Structure formats: C-alpha cells, structure tokens
Amino acid sequence: MWLINSSIGRKVVMSVTGIALILFLTFHGCMNIVALFSGEAYNMICELLGANWYAVVATLGLAALAVIHIVFAFILTAQNRTARGSERYAVTDKPAKVEWASQNMLVLGIIVVLGLLLHLFNFWYNMMFAEIAGFTNGHLPSDGFAFIVDTFGNPVYVILYVIWLCAIWFHLTHGFWSAMQTLGISGKIWFQRWKVIGNIYVTLLFLAFLVVVLAFAFKCAPSLC
C-alpha cells in the first residue's frame, strides 16, 4: 500500500494524523480555559468525558493517531538519515532558509512524547484509567479541577509543562504548514499564507495551555478565588 510503502505516502499519513491531533489540542485547550472560570463547569466536562463508552472509544482512537504519527515520524527520520548516508557527518554551514524547528524535529518530537507521558500520568491515569480500574488517587476520578490544582501547584511540574508546551509550539509551527504543503493545499501563493496562519493559530493554542498552567501555578485563576 503506497501510504505505508512510499515516502510520500508516509508523509501524507503524518500530515493527516498531525492535523487530527491539532484539532484535538484545540478542543483540549478550549476545555482547559473553562477551568480558569469555574471548577464545577470543568468537572462537569470531565464527568461527561469520563469512562463512558464513547469517551473510551475516542481515547483509543486518539491514542492510535498519536502512535501512528510518532512511529511514522521515526520511520521518516531514519529514512532521511539513510538517504543522506555519510554526508550527515560532513561539517556544513546552517542553511539560511531552513527553520530551526525543521532541523530539530526529532529532538522536539522526543520532548513532546516525554511530556505526553507525564501528562497521561498526571491526568489520564488518575482520571479515566482510575475510574475504569476502580481506584482513587487522592481525589475522585471526575474531579479534574483538583488534579489541575495539585499538578500546577508543584513548581517542578510547572517548569516541565512550560518546556513541553514550548517544544509543542516549535513542533506545530513547522508541522502545520508542512502538512498543508504535503497535502497539496499549499501552492506558491498560499505557502507563506499558511505559515502566517499556522503561526497565529498555534501561538493562540500555545497561549491557551500556557495561561492555565501559569494561572494555577501563581493561584491567580478566578475559579481559585
């Protein structure tokens, strides 16, 4: 199948799964903003998205998208390194038109994956998995607000999350326009436009997550008053 066996096909899979993950992050970011204004409203959403069958199915689908995206990223990186051969060890000047994020997508990807594992431990494990397994870890599984307060009340977690979010920002600013280019949506005219649109969109998404982390870290969210 060309989607798996060809380089272009793998890039298409990467682009489609990447866009799907960006859409999920958009929903997740909007959900997090709710916690700034009402802990009760946020917990209502958490309860709705608890261990219900549709939430579990959606979570499995999301996990499949993430795994496919990560696996194909490593395959493409290995493929590119193999294609370059011994040339990758040659000392060359940094290309003027190549973005830093483009040159460091593997490193950024590893940071994103490690941050994801930390995030799953702090929230998914203590919430959805705890509800399915029938245990509690200090709070009710549906009390997502309490887990936010606990997590971002820890300075170490705050620093780790800020680093993680910065890595996501760099990863997505490159990945957004790259996906559009791979899917053929980006022509000569729209190439720069997609870059601008992507940078604005990803930055707003980044700020949506960052403001929640910092608001709870400094206890200045209205819902904490």
Side-chain angles (χ1 to χ4, degrees), residues 10 13-18 20-21 24 58-76 109 112-113 116-117 120 171:
R10 296 187 188 108
V13 173
M14 278 278 293
S15 299
V16 173
T17 54
L21 292 172
F24 167 74
T59 300
L60 292 175
L62 181 64
L65 287 173
V67 169
I68 291 172
H69 189 80
I70 293 168
V71 169
F72 273 65
F74 278 101
I75 291 175
L76 285 170
V112 170
V113 171
L116 176 61
L117 293 176
L120 289 174
H171 190 79

Side-chain angles (χ1 to χ4, degrees), residues 29 32-36 148 152 207-217 221:
N32 285 1
I33 291 295
V34 174
L36 291 175
I148 289 181
F152 301 131
L207 292 175
F209 283 96
L210 182 65
V211 70
V212 173
V213 173
L214 297 181
F216 281 86

Side-chain angles (χ1 to χ4, degrees), residues 14-117:
M14 278 278 293
S15 299
V16 173
T17 54
I19 291 172
L21 292 172
I22 289 175
L23 291 175
F24 167 74
L25 287 175
T26 302
F27 165 76
H28 196 353
C30 293
M31 174 182 168
N32 285 1
I33 291 295
V34 174
L36 291 175
F37 302 98
S38 173
E40 292 182 2
Y42 181 79
N43 282 346
M44 285 178 62
I45 299 175
C46 290
E47 188 172 356
L48 179 65
L49 300 175
N52 304 296
W53 69 268
Y54 50 83
V56 173
V57 170
T59 300
L60 292 175
L62 181 64
L65 287 173
V67 169
I68 291 172
H69 189 80
I70 293 168
V71 169
F72 273 65
F74 278 101
I75 291 175
L76 285 170
T77 300
Q79 177 183 316
N80 291 337
R81 284 176 174 270
T82 300
R84 289 179 60 189
S86 60
E87 290 184 3
R88 68 178 183 271
Y89 299 108
V91 178
T92 58
D93 294 332
K94 179 181 177 181
K97 294 185 178 180
V98 177
E99 297 178 346
W100 180 86
S102 178
Q103 292 186 320
N104 295 276
M105 286 298 276
L106 179 61
V107 175
L108 292 171
I110 292 174
I111 295 174
V112 170
V113 171
L114 292 176
L116 176 61
L117 293 176

Side-chain angles (χ1 to χ4, degrees), residues 168-169 172-173 176 197-207:
I168 291 177
W169 184 86
L172 294 186
T173 50
F176 189 96
I197 293 171
N199 286 341
I200 294 174
Y201 188 91
V202 171
T203 299
L204 291 175
L205 189 59
F206 164 77
L207 292 175

